[in-house]
Each structure stands twice: as C-alpha cells, then as structure tokens.
Amino acid sequence: MSETLRLPVLPLDDSVVLPTMVVPLDTSATEARAAIQAAQMSAAVPGAADKSTPQVLLVPRLNGKYPAIGTLGAVEQTGRLPSGEPAAVIRGLSRVRIGVGTTGPGAALWVEGTVIDEPPATARAQELAREYRGLAGTILQKRGAWQVVDVLQRITEPSALADSAGYAGYLTMEQRVELLETIDPEQRLELVTGWARDQLAELDVAETIQNDVREGMEKQQREFLLRQQLAAIRKELAELDGEPGTEEEDYKARIEKANLPEKVHEAAMKEAAKLERSNDASPEGSWIRTWLDTVLEIPWNERTDDEYDITGARAILDADHAGLDDVKDRIIEYLAVRKRRSDKGLTLVGGRRSGAVLALAGPPGVGKTSLGESVARSMGRKFARVALGGIRDEAEIRGHRRTYVGALPGRIVRAVREAGSMNPVILLDEVDKLGADYRGDPTAALLEVLDPAQNHTFRDHYLEVELDLSDVLFIATANALEMIPSPLLDRMELLQLDGYTEAEKVTIAQGHLLPRQLERAGLEAADVTLTDTALHQLASEYTREAGVRSLERTIARVLQKIAAQVATGEKQLPVTVDAADLHGYLGHPRHTPESAERTAVPGVATGLAVTGTGGDVLFIEASLADPETGTTGVTLTGQLGDVMKESAQIALSYLRSHGAELELPVGDLKERGVHVHVPAGAVPKDGPSAGVTMTTALASLLSGRLVRSDVAMTGEVSLTGRVLPIGGVKQKLLAAHRAGITTVLIPKRNEPDLEDVPEDVRNQLTVHTVSDVREVLGLALEPARSEAAIAA
C-alpha cells in the first residue's frame, strides 16, 4: 500500500532530481533554505517521515508551474560551497504524487504526498534497458566519460536505469519533467532510448564534420610540405641539368619557347616576374598562372595554308549545298584573289592580312549555319562556331577584366584558341538575336571585331594584349536584318539567301535530307525509295517554307512510320513511296492553294510580304458599314504597325480624291465606315509594301469587281497614285510561286531585281512591272459584270 507523507517543498527552478540521483543543490534561496531547515526540524513533528535523515519534496518549477509529481529527497549532508554559499547534498528516493497543502514547522511550504510504487519490470522493459545501456555507453564513450560507463553497466534495474538519464546533459528541462511524470518504467525507457538515438545521430554528424575539417587541414599542411619538397627537388635537378627548375622559371622557359609576338612576349615576361614575387597563399598567383596559361594556349604563330584549288573548292560547295550560287561565287572570288596574291608573294596589305566578313541573311532552314563548315572545308581552314543567340553581356565578346572572380577571355578569343590557328573560319551564328541590358551592348562590342580596318589590333579585356584577327574569315548569320544595328551591318558584306525553289528542294531532299534520315532511322538506301513526285508534293502541299527544315522533319516522319510498320509486320522492305501513298503516312495536305477561295468576294486582294521566316502570301480584306448600322471613319485591325496603318490611310485618301476618274462610287464614304483587316491577327505586321494591295482591295469593294484569284501584288503607294519600289522581291516571288500564284505585280523600279529570281520560277510566273495605281487596278480587277450577268 502506498505511504502518505507530510513533506516540506523545495522548489527547483533550473534542474530536475529523479529517483536514484544524488545531486548537490544551492540552498542560498529563501525557499530552499526554509525547506532544508523545516526538514531538519521535522523529527519533532508527529507523523513525519524518517527521523534519522531529513526529507524534502523536490518539485521542479517550469515557467512558474508545478507538475503533479515530485521526488522524495533525503538530505544527506549540508554545508557550504567553496564560494561560501550554503548547499546540501540530496539523494532522490522515489516519486511522490503531490496532494493538498498542510502545516509543519518552519517557514517552508508543507504538503501531503503519496509515495508512488514502481510497477514491475516487463520483458519489453528489460529489452529496452539493454538497448538504452548500449546507446548511453556509446554516447559516454564519444564524450570520453569512460568511468561513468562502468557505473552505468552496473545498473541492472530498468526503472533505475531510466532515471539515470537525468544526469544526461543533452536533455532539456521539459524532457526531464516528462521523465519525472512518466510512472511506467517501460514508457520511461522508450522515451530515453529515443532521445539517446537522436543525440547519437547529432554526435555522429558533428564527429563527421570535425573529421572532415581535421582531414582538410592535415591535407593542406601535407600538400604544402610536399610542394616545398618538390620545389627543392626540382631546383636541385635543374642545377644538375642546367635547366630552370622553379615554377616561375618554368613559365619563363615556356614563354621563350612559344615565340610570341614582341609585345605579347613582354607582357608575359612581366607577369612571370610578378608571379615570382607573389606569395604562394595570395590569390594573385592563381590569377597570373591562369592568364599565362591562356596566353600560351593561343596559337599566335599557327596558320593553316589555304587550299587554292578553285575548282575543287567549288566542287565541295556544290556537293554540300544545292543552290546558294551567290554565296558560292563570293567564296570562290575570295579564294581566287587570295591565290593571285599568294602567287605574287603579297601576303599583307598595309601591315594587315586580307580577312573578310560575310553576312548570310535569310529565313530559317536555308543552310546558313551549315554553310560555314563547308566554306572552311573548301578553304582548308579550321572551323569554329560562336553561338550569339540570347547573349546580353558585352563581356561575352570582349572578355572580363582579370580582377573579377572567374574571369575568362571573350568568345572570339576562345574560338581562336579552340580552332588552333590564327586564320580560321569563325561562324557568328544568329547575330540578330543579340540582346542588350545594363551590362552593355554586345553588338557594339562586335564593331571592332568585324571591321577589317581595325581588327588587326583587337584587344580582349582579359588578355590586354593585341590580337590580330585580320586573317580570320568571319561569317555572320541572321534571319532579320532590321534587328542588326546599321553600323555593324555596314562592316559586313551582305549576301541574301532568299530560299529555295520547289525543284531545288527536291534536289536537296534526294541528295542530302533523305540519306541522312535513312541513316537515323536505321534503314539502308535500298530499303526505302521516295519518288520525285512524292517529294514535290511534300515540298508544295505538306510544307510551305523558304528553307528545308520542315521538309526534312516530314521525310523523317514518313521513314519512322515505315520502320514501325516493318517492325509490326505490316510491310516488308523494300518500300517505294509515291505521291498517292503520302496521305496514308501524313494525312491530308496542310497547304493547298486558297487564293481563289479568299478572293471570291469583292474587297479581298492578295499581297506579298517578307517575314522572319521568308516570303509569304498576305490577304487584305476590306468592308463598308451600312449607313444605318455602322459608324463612319476608318477601322484597321490585324496587329498592324504604324507604317502599314499609314499605307491604308494613303490608299483611302487616293481613292477619295480620284474616285470619279476611276469610276468608283466614293461619294457616300462620308456616311459609311471603312474597315480594313489583315488576317492572322495574332501576328504583328508592318511595312509600306502592302499599299497597292490595300488600294486594290478598297477599289474592288467600291466597284463590286472581284480581284483576280491568280494575281498577287506588292508595292508602296503614294498620294498621287505612284507605285514606289520595295525590298525582298526574290523572297516574295518565291512565296507567290509556292502559293500557286501565276501573275505578280511589282513596282517598275524593282525590275532589275528580277535577275536575282531563279530562272525556272520566272518562267512559271507572269510578272508585270507597274508604275501607277491605274495599271494595278486594270491588271488585278476582273472585268465589270453586266446587270444581266449579275441577275443571272
């Protein structure tokens, strides 16, 4: 049966005493001193506890609150600490459930308490005790408390073993109170076992970190000593061999051996001298070593010999690319001039070599990027490609200052280093995709690189020595010339790649695209045959583009379907694909002539435009509002730019002022609103070349005469009705040919541009050159229908 006792309360603010614990307590506080004195006087109190040893009730006070359970403590000794403060040694005896308050001698607080009997230990408690004993022993060993480990091993009772965790310094006040309030030994052991696991995991992590730090320090010290010994050994060997032995002397020897240009040699020797004076622990030493390594890796005196076999170079260009005669002719001209200069022993012009800068502009997929490799191969030069798309930092071109962490030379210097010669072909890909922000404008940094009059003294911010780029053949590629600043474009020789004709696409497909895709699909040339008729249909009805990128993807789809059908047993190789078979592989054609359908009502005209993807057909629609329901004025839709909006205003103004002359009913325009729309409203459009098309659409609307479905037109219109010249004639005629247009109207002053159009395209188109809007209307509009015909 549990015993009831009257005990003085000794509150504990910063500790918890559990049964079996023996602890010294500071009793300088008034409450503690009163509790000890009361316990000592308790022998005279009737019904008190053990008269031989004073007893107190030890109650932890957590945030001003007391738990329901305290610890019966025996005051075994009182005295003073070395500092002079009063203290007592108290042994925890058992848990006591705190009852009501009572009276007793002294000034202490007295309460009644019931001693809690310990439940018997279960088999699970014995198992947990063994586990906790091992965990606690490991923790004590890691802390170096070997003597305490022996004491811990001698505790066999599970309850006492669990309460011994009160000595653990890693437990918080809240955890000790929770341990005090847990009566069942099995539950107490589960708590202390979990806390011991967490503490052991923390100790393991701390030990791992400490070991890593110690190993790192030892490795640095060992590396320092080994390097010092290695330097001494090298010095001794150098003295025996008569060669330089230190790192600085090794750099100097490499500099002398590299046969650098005079100014570069001076700068490198100066940096090597700095390295000799710098401290090994200084970061400046690593900067100097990186700079010297970069300078020594640049092929200052390496140049490849140009291949002057003009016929062979042309054969290589023709084999790699079909069409592109302008580019091929320019490369051949460049090689021919180089050959004549070499034959006469003229290698420099005013101290400079005869480098060149070409700009290949055109829609995607016409072979601009791949042409660079073919040019390098035809000239026998090394090739390097610099992708400029999306670059916004000027330092990417000119390099970073050496004072920055992670500084590197610019992309131009890195391209020369990777090419391994001073006269490579460097392809500056997507130069129109360069950006600009607060870090600078990369296009401005290219001004010096691409100027043959300046680039023989190009200075990279990282190298800070002159680099001769005048013998480099730069080839820049771009889709949209208007995105390139005029000063930069002025430094390049522009070659326009306007796209391929349908016949050229078929030739490219047979000679290049189909063999490449057969290899990628794991098929042999004899396994699959695509007829010319099928390729023509692929180029005209399944893809409509200036280049051949979509055509290649479409061929790949056909081959992949064939490979899948062969794998499933549906077909057997070899397979021949004709035009009639394409529907089964690709579905219905994506592009069919739609000019006749779109122009079947008055007020719709077919125009020609140039976009970033090449030439394209543009339909312009016009409508008149009813006086009773519509508004007056002009409405323009289709994401039109300012220039295109002005073209519509000019077209309407011309028709208003010349309506009577053109026999158009323009008198009621003041009461009816005009709406001009250019479909594909999600695509922004701008430019003056749609002027004649807008004029024709409005004239068709007012006269009720249809625009001929086989006619497309382009040209800027003036207020006086003059048709002014525009650009992109070749791309626009190629687009008209792809769309099935047979008659094209262009400005008279663009007639010389027809020479650039492939002959087979010119033969299939009827091109009219016009200088006045009246000519346009006479050629584009259908004849007026009689009233009988209209009634019928």
Side-chain angles (χ1 to χ4, degrees):
M1 182 177 178
S2 299
E3 181 182 2
T4 301
L5 303 173
R6 288 190 300 162
L7 298 167
V9 177
L10 197 161
L12 303 174
D13 287 322
D14 55 358
S15 62
V16 177
V17 178
L18 296 170
T20 72
M21 291 179 62
V22 179
V23 294
L25 295 177
D26 181 4
T27 58
S28 59
T30 302
E31 295 174 319
R33 190 165 54 249
I36 296 297
Q37 292 172 357
Q40 292 172 342
M41 293 186 295
S42 64
V45 178
D50 186 4
K51 307 300 187 294
S52 60
T53 304
Q55 296 180 342
V56 294
L57 181 61
L58 302 169
V59 183
R61 183 161 52 191
L62 187 62
N63 297 326
K65 296 181 181 180
Y66 297 95
I69 296 175
T71 303
L72 176 64
V75 183
E76 295 190 344
Q77 185 179 352
T78 59
R80 290 189 176 274
L81 296 172
S83 60
E85 300 293 335
V89 177
I90 299 179
R91 178 187 296 275
L93 300 177
S94 61
R95 286 174 171 78
V96 174
R97 191 176 302 279
I98 302 173
V100 298
T102 185
T103 59
L109 172 67
W110 286 76
V111 298
E112 291 185 356
T114 304
V115 178
I116 300 175
D117 297 331
E118 291 284 344
T122 63
R124 169 65 177 164
Q126 295 288 351
E127 182 181 347
L128 289 170
R130 286 193 296 272
E131 182 180 359
Y132 173 71
R133 189 180 291 111
L135 292 170
T138 304
I139 294 173
L140 292 171
Q141 289 175 9
K142 287 182 178 293
R143 295 180 177 273
W146 297 95
Q147 296 177 348
V148 183
V149 176
D150 296 335
V151 176
L152 184 69
Q153 297 297 331
R154 289 196 292 270
I155 301 176
T156 57
E157 186 181 353
S159 178
L161 185 63
D163 288 337
S164 68
Y167 289 111
Y170 57 83
L171 293 184
T172 63
M173 185 79 172
E174 290 79 1
Q175 289 174 324
R176 288 187 172 93
V177 172
E178 183 181 0
L179 198 61
L180 174 64
E181 293 179 321
T182 304
I183 307 301
D184 187 12
E186 182 178 334
Q187 296 178 3
R188 259 181 286 152
L189 283 168
E190 287 179 350
L191 288 174
V192 297
T193 302
W195 294 334
R197 288 197 198 99
D198 295 341
Q199 177 63 16
L200 188 58
E202 292 181 12
L203 290 175
D204 289 340
V205 172
E207 184 179 6
T208 301
I209 295 174
Q210 186 177 6
N211 290 338
D212 291 343
V213 172
R214 182 169 57 251
E215 290 175 2
M217 294 179 61
E218 292 175 354
K219 180 180 179 182
Q220 290 179 356
Q221 294 172 352
R222 187 167 62 252
E223 183 178 358
F224 175 76
L225 292 175
L226 289 173
R227 287 190 179 279
Q228 293 295 328
Q229 294 174 3
L230 181 61
I233 293 171
R234 284 179 174 173
K235 185 175 181 180
E236 292 295 330
L237 290 174
E239 291 177 357
L240 292 176
D241 298 337
E243 294 181 358
T246 64
E247 182 184 24
E248 296 79 13
E249 291 171 342
D250 180 51
Y251 270 118
K252 289 180 179 179
R254 290 173 61 190
I255 293 168
E256 294 293 346
K257 186 179 179 181
N259 191 23
L260 303 175
E262 181 180 355
K263 292 184 179 180
V264 181
H265 181 272
E266 292 176 4
M269 293 300 288
K270 188 182 295 185
E271 293 296 326
K274 285 184 186 178
L275 181 62
E276 192 172 1
R277 295 191 300 270
S278 66
N279 189 344
D280 289 341
S282 172
E284 185 181 10
S286 65
W287 296 346
I288 295 173
R289 292 185 190 94
T290 306
W291 185 87
L292 288 172
D293 289 336
T294 303
V295 170
L296 292 171
E297 287 173 0
I298 294 176
W300 298 96
N301 298 302
E302 295 293 331
R303 280 182 170 79
T304 56
D305 295 331
D306 286 345
E307 296 286 346
Y308 292 130
D309 182 4
I310 307 301
T311 305
R314 182 66 192 225
I316 292 175
L317 293 174
D318 288 337
D320 290 349
H321 293 83
L324 307 181
D325 291 331
D326 291 344
V327 183
K328 296 175 184 177
D329 291 342
R330 179 64 188 92
I331 299 301
I332 296 304
E333 291 164 7
Y334 174 75
L335 284 177
V337 172
R338 293 274 301 186
K339 182 177 186 302
R340 290 190 64 83
R341 294 182 55 78
S342 177
D343 293 342
K344 294 183 178 182
L346 302 174
T347 56
L348 301 178
V349 180
R352 306 165 197 163
R353 293 175 173 83
S354 55
V357 180
L358 303 179
L360 306 180
V366 296
K368 300 184 300 296
T369 303
S370 61
L371 188 65
E373 293 186 37
S374 299
V375 170
R377 194 156 64 90
S378 66
M379 297 178 67
R381 289 192 179 193
K382 300 291 184 65
F383 175 76
R385 176 176 172 268
V386 177
L388 298 180
I391 290 179
R392 303 182 304 276
D393 190 354
E394 173 261 348
E396 289 285 343
I397 305 298
R398 300 191 65 93
H400 303 79
R401 298 288 182 187
R402 276 193 287 164
T403 52
Y404 294 106
V405 175
L408 286 172
R411 289 177 179 251
I412 304 300
V413 173
R414 298 208 298 269
V416 171
R417 183 179 63 185
E418 292 166 7
S421 73
M422 294 300 292
N423 63 337
V425 174
I426 295 182
L427 181 74
L428 303 176
D429 210 5
E430 306 293 355
V431 73
D432 59 325
K433 306 300 190 302
L434 285 169
D437 62 6
Y438 65 93
R439 287 166 290 189
D441 187 354
T443 58
L446 282 174
L447 292 177
E448 181 185 2
V449 175
L450 299 182
D451 190 346
Q454 300 179 30
N455 62 11
H456 65 290
T457 57
F458 173 71
R459 274 183 175 268
D460 186 271
H461 285 164
Y462 181 79
L463 295 181
E464 277 300 332
V465 293
E466 292 183 356
L467 187 70
D468 186 3
L469 299 177
S470 63
D471 205 20
V472 177
L473 174 58
F474 288 102
I475 300 179
T477 70
N479 296 130
L481 289 178
E482 58 270 15
M483 301 300 295
I484 305 175
S486 298
L488 182 60
L489 190 60
D490 185 60
R491 284 162 166 78
M492 299 183 283
E493 183 174 345
L494 180 61
L495 296 175
Q496 193 81 28
L497 282 68
D498 296 312
Y500 298 109
T501 65
E502 185 176 312
E504 288 174 338
K505 290 182 181 180
V506 172
T507 302
I508 294 170
Q510 288 285 19
H512 300 278
L513 308 183
L514 182 57
R516 183 161 60 213
Q517 292 303 323
L518 282 169
E519 182 181 355
R520 291 180 182 177
L523 298 169
E524 300 293 334
D527 293 340
V528 179
T529 302
L530 265 72
T531 65
D532 288 348
T533 308
L535 292 174
H536 274 285
Q537 188 167 351
L538 286 178
S540 62
E541 297 184 12
Y542 286 90
T543 62
R544 182 172 291 177
E545 56 176 345
V548 292
R549 195 167 285 150
S550 296
L551 178 60
E552 183 172 10
R553 284 195 292 265
T554 307
I555 293 173
R557 283 184 56 198
V558 172
L559 297 180
Q560 290 164 6
K561 286 186 177 294
I562 291 174
Q565 290 173 350
V566 171
T568 57
E570 295 179 38
K571 287 192 176 181
Q572 298 292 328
L573 297 177
V575 176
T576 299
V577 180
D578 204 352
D581 305 321
L582 292 179
H583 187 277
Y585 291 109
L586 303 173
H588 62 84
R590 301 294 185 272
H591 306 281
T592 54
E594 57 178 342
S595 178
E597 177 186 351
R598 299 291 288 272
T599 59
V601 295
V604 182
T606 308
L608 298 173
V610 176
T611 67
T613 58
D616 199 3
V617 171
L618 198 67
F619 295 100
I620 294 180
E621 302 174 348
S623 69
L624 279 176
D626 191 279
E628 298 178 359
T629 61
T631 60
T632 60
V634 181
T635 304
L636 304 173
T637 56
Q639 280 208 62
L640 308 185
D642 292 338
V643 177
M644 204 164 182
K645 290 179 180 178
E646 292 172 357
S647 296
Q649 297 280 3
I650 292 169
L652 188 58
S653 297
Y654 171 78
L655 292 177
R656 286 178 186 271
S657 60
H658 295 78
E661 178 185 344
L662 298 172
E663 298 180 358
L664 298 176
V666 294
D668 58 347
L669 284 179
K670 62 181 180 180
E671 300 175 358
R672 305 180 68 179
V674 178
H675 189 161
V676 177
H677 175 64
V678 184
V683 181
K685 311 165 193 72
D686 202 4
S689 61
V692 295
T693 315
M694 290 181 169
T695 306
T696 304
L698 290 169
S700 169
L701 180 66
L702 293 170
S703 66
R705 296 165 61 186
L706 300 177
V707 179
R708 288 173 53 188
S709 61
D710 61 335
V711 172
M713 63 202 75
T714 180
E716 181 179 358
V717 70
S718 71
L719 277 175
T720 59
R722 303 295 300 172
V723 179
L724 304 180
I726 40 79
V729 171
K730 180 181 177 182
Q731 295 188 45
K732 292 176 179 178
L733 263 62
L734 290 174
H737 179 256
R738 287 195 296 270
I741 301 294
T742 59
T743 303
V744 179
L745 310 182
I746 66 171
K748 181 73 173 179
R749 289 168 57 184
N750 283 115
E751 188 172 3
D753 296 330
L754 292 175
E755 297 178 4
D756 299 332
V757 181
E759 185 177 356
D760 59 333
V761 173
R762 291 203 308 267
N763 293 336
Q764 296 181 52
L765 292 176
T766 301
V767 180
H768 296 279
T769 58
V770 294
S771 57
D772 192 271
V773 170
R774 297 174 185 83
E775 300 177 53
V776 175
L777 299 180
L779 292 168
L781 296 179
E782 296 277 2
R785 292 181 295 173
S786 64
E787 294 183 3
I790 296 174

